[in-house]
Amino acid sequence: MGNTKELDETYQEIQAIDFQSDQKYNMVVNAVSIILAIVTYIIGNALVSISTLLTNDNNEYFSRLWMIVVGIALYIILMQLLRTSCIYSNSHESAKMGFRGLSGYAGSEYYFNKVTYLYIRLLPFITATIVLVILCMRFDTSLFWVPYFVMLYHMASSGSDFYIVYTLMALPNDIMVQDVGTSMKIYGKK
C-alpha cells in the first residue's frame, strides 16, 4: 500500500509507542544512547585526545564551548527540518515540529509504508553523520572536538532511531506507520 492520509478497514493497530511514557522504549533507548555515546567518545579520543579541547587561555576555552553549544542547537534544528522535508516529500503535507527535552521531533498524521518510513527515519541520520565526519576531518587538531561533540550528541540521540528501525525490521513489509512526533502507531493487515 502506498502512503496515505487514511487507512482502509483491512488494517488494524498492532503496536503503539508513546515516546514520552513508554517505560520499555525509554529504558532500551537510554541504554542504546549511553552505549553509542561511550563508543563514539572512545573513537574520538583515539583519533584526537580530548585534552586538545582544554586550553590555558580561558577566552579560547569558552569560545570552543560556545561553538559546541551553538553547533548542537543548529544540529537539532537542521535535523528536524530535514526530517520535516522528508515527510513533506512523501506526503505533500506539512509536518509538525517541536522540542521534547534536549531533542526535537517532527511528525505527521500521515500513514507511511515501511520503506518510506525507514527512509524518513534514516535519511537525516545518514546525512548528519556524513556532514559531521567531513567537518571533523576539516577542523585541525585543536578544534577537532568542536564538531565531534556535535557528533557525540548526534550518535547518542540516535538511540531512538536504531530502536525503531530494529522494531520495524522484525515486522512484515506491508505495515503502515503513523508517527506524530511524540508517539507512533504501527498498523498491520487483519
Side-chain angles (χ1 to χ4, degrees):
M1 180 175 201
N3 306 323
T4 182
K5 183 71 174 166
E6 294 183 21
L7 282 181
D8 61 37
E9 63 279 350
T10 62
Y11 281 88
Q12 67 182 2
E13 183 180 318
I14 58 173
Q15 189 173 356
I17 301 171
D18 185 327
F19 299 136
Q20 296 172 328
S21 64
D22 188 325
Q23 294 300 322
K24 177 186 174 198
Y25 166 81
N26 286 320
M27 272 184 23
V28 172
V29 166
N30 287 337
V32 170
S33 294
I34 290 168
I35 291 167
L36 288 169
I38 291 169
V39 169
T40 304
Y41 170 79
I42 290 170
I43 292 169
N45 201 44
L47 295 171
V48 175
S49 172
I50 195 164
S51 64
T52 60
L53 180 66
L54 306 174
T55 177
N56 291 333
D57 182 356
N58 282 342
N59 289 335
E60 188 174 339
Y61 177 73
F62 286 114
S63 69
R64 289 178 187 178
L65 288 179
W66 178 245
M67 287 189 287
I68 291 169
V69 169
V70 169
I72 290 173
L74 284 172
Y75 162 82
I76 292 169
I77 293 167
L78 292 173
M79 280 292 285
Q80 298 325 311
L81 287 173
L82 183 55
R83 185 160 284 143
T84 299
S85 66
C86 289
I87 291 170
Y88 181 80
S89 70
N90 287 285
S91 68
H92 302 291
E93 289 193 7
S94 296
K96 61 181 177 182
M97 276 183 27
F99 295 94
R100 183 178 53 242
L102 293 175
S103 63
Y105 66 85
S108 169
E109 296 289 330
Y110 227 75
Y111 299 91
F112 297 101
N113 63 42
K114 183 177 179 177
V115 171
T116 302
Y117 186 74
L118 288 172
Y119 161 79
I120 291 169
R121 191 49 92 157
L122 290 175
L123 182 69
F125 170 79
I126 293 167
T127 304
T129 302
I130 292 168
V131 169
L132 289 168
V133 165
I134 292 169
L135 283 174
C136 288
M137 291 172 20
R138 301 289 297 161
F139 278 65
D140 66 9
T141 303
S142 64
L143 291 175
F144 169 82
W145 278 92
V146 171
Y148 202 79
F149 260 107
V150 179
M151 172 76 84
L152 203 149
Y153 177 85
H154 164 63
M155 294 306 289
S157 66
S158 297
S160 63
D161 293 328
F162 288 117
Y163 176 84
I164 290 169
V165 167
Y166 175 79
T167 300
L168 293 180
M169 294 310 286
L171 296 173
N173 287 332
D174 61 354
I175 62 166
M176 298 296 285
V177 179
Q178 182 186 47
D179 182 347
V180 296
T182 55
S183 64
M184 72 182 286
K185 292 181 181 177
I186 304 168
Y187 297 86
K189 291 228 179 208
K190 292 181 183 178

